Amino acid sequence: DIVLTQSPGTLSLSPGERATLSCWASQSLASNSLAWYQQKPGQAPRLLIYGASSRATGIPVRFSGSGSGTDFSLTISRLEPEDFAVYYCQQYGTSPQTFGPGTKVEIK
Amino acid sequence: QVQLVQSRAEVKEPGASVKVSCKTSGYTFIGYYVHWVRQAPGQGLEWMGWINPNSGVTNFAPKFQGKVAMTRDKSVSTAYMELYGLQSDDTAVYFCARGRYNAYDYVDSFGQGTLVTVSS
């Protein structure tokens, strides 16, 4: 199985600050088959980014994804109050699909 | 709009089975894979597998082989996930999610989740 590692485990920031979340894969991902999801307490995950860098429908431009091969990142340019949540990366190009353990973005 | 509405929460005894439904609307059911993902309390997301609603072909994560079945009823645009031999560590929220047109692709919409509690 492809193992995804996310860093940091928790990110403490203030609204308006920039957030950079990292995701590393144990092997190169075919066709940059990496997605990012946001999850708030008691809610289902929401797709933010697919194909490493394509924003999903309706996702604000402050969310951007980058990377290739084994190293990927999600950047939130200026944190809004509603962005404080847990973020998961997922690889979907190889079965079984796998998720990273998540990064919690909390209010400082 | 795309909607996936899941069945209500269940409480089951160890050793029992549970069947969760996922009724879809707002899109062509047979055109998109349906995935199942679970989340134990306070834990991360775990991919279980998918079903091709058109053909009925399934693919499961090795951990769930022999433990899960995924079926569908095209007449009511509904997918089902049945989990057998429940143990306490199967206590989790189970999500269905709409995949894309291809098997190896991301999911773009989730159901609201169904809490399955395994307890004697």
Side-chain angles (χ1 to χ4, degrees):
Chain A
D1 298 4
I2 296 178
V3 176
L4 298 180
T5 304
Q6 291 187 244
S7 178
T10 302
L11 196 53
S12 299
L13 295 168
S14 301
E17 289 193 294
R18 180 185 188 90
T20 301
L21 289 66
S22 296
C23 175
W24 290 277
S26 60
Q27 57 187 274
S28 186
L29 301 188
S31 304
N32 290 333
S33 50
L34 186 106
W36 290 93
Y37 298 88
Q38 176 195 67
Q39 188 179 34
K40 297 178 182 178
Q43 296 186 16
R46 177 174 73 143
L47 174 68
L48 301 174
I49 301 287
Y50 62 92
S53 60
S54 297
R55 260 187 310 277
T57 303
I59 301 304
V61 296
R62 63 180 181 273
F63 290 93
S64 62
S66 63
S68 64
T70 60
D71 293 359
F72 300 89
S73 63
L74 173 71
T75 299
I76 310 171
S77 59
R78 287 179 56 86
L79 283 164
E80 297 288 340
E82 62 268 27
D83 298 337
F84 292 91
V86 179
Y87 292 83
Y88 295 95
C89 58
Q90 181 212 24
Q91 70 79 20
Y92 52 83
T94 300
S95 188
Q97 297 188 8
T98 49
F99 288 91
T103 290
K104 182 179 182 179
V105 179
E106 65 177 22
I107 300 176
K108 187 173 182 179
Chain B
Q1 75 281 22
V2 174
Q3 283 195 307
L4 297 91
V5 178
Q6 299 183 225
S7 48
R8 58 183 58 191
E10 304 249 21
V11 179
K12 295 291 185 181
E13 293 192 346
S17 300
V18 68
K19 190 171 185 177
V20 178
S21 66
C22 173
K23 182 168 179 57
T24 72
S25 61
Y27 72 96
T28 303
F29 178 64
I30 60 172
Y32 297 78
Y33 284 71
V34 174
H35 297 241
W36 291 86
V37 174
R38 78 176 183 181
Q39 186 170 40
Q43 302 300 309
L45 302 170
E46 182 175 30
W47 183 79
M48 300 177 68
W50 52 246
I51 181 168
N52 178 327
N54 189 35
S55 64
V57 171
T58 54
N59 177 41
F60 307 131
K63 173 178 181 176
F64 295 99
Q65 294 276 1
K67 172 84 169 172
V68 70
M70 295 179 188
T71 57
R72 89 294 189 210
D73 184 340
K74 291 189 280 187
S75 68
V76 290
S77 301
T78 299
Y80 303 91
M81 186 280 299
E82 188 165 15
L83 203 58
Y84 306 107
L86 292 169
Q87 300 299 321
S88 57
D89 61 0
D90 291 315
T91 293
V93 175
Y94 290 79
F95 296 100
C96 62
R98 188 184 82 156
R100 306 294 292 170
Y101 331 106
N102 304 307
Y104 298 99
D105 221 330
Y106 57 93
V107 297
D108 61 9
S109 298
F110 286 79
Q112 83 277 19
T114 297
L115 175 62
V116 174
T117 302
V118 182
S119 174
S120 54

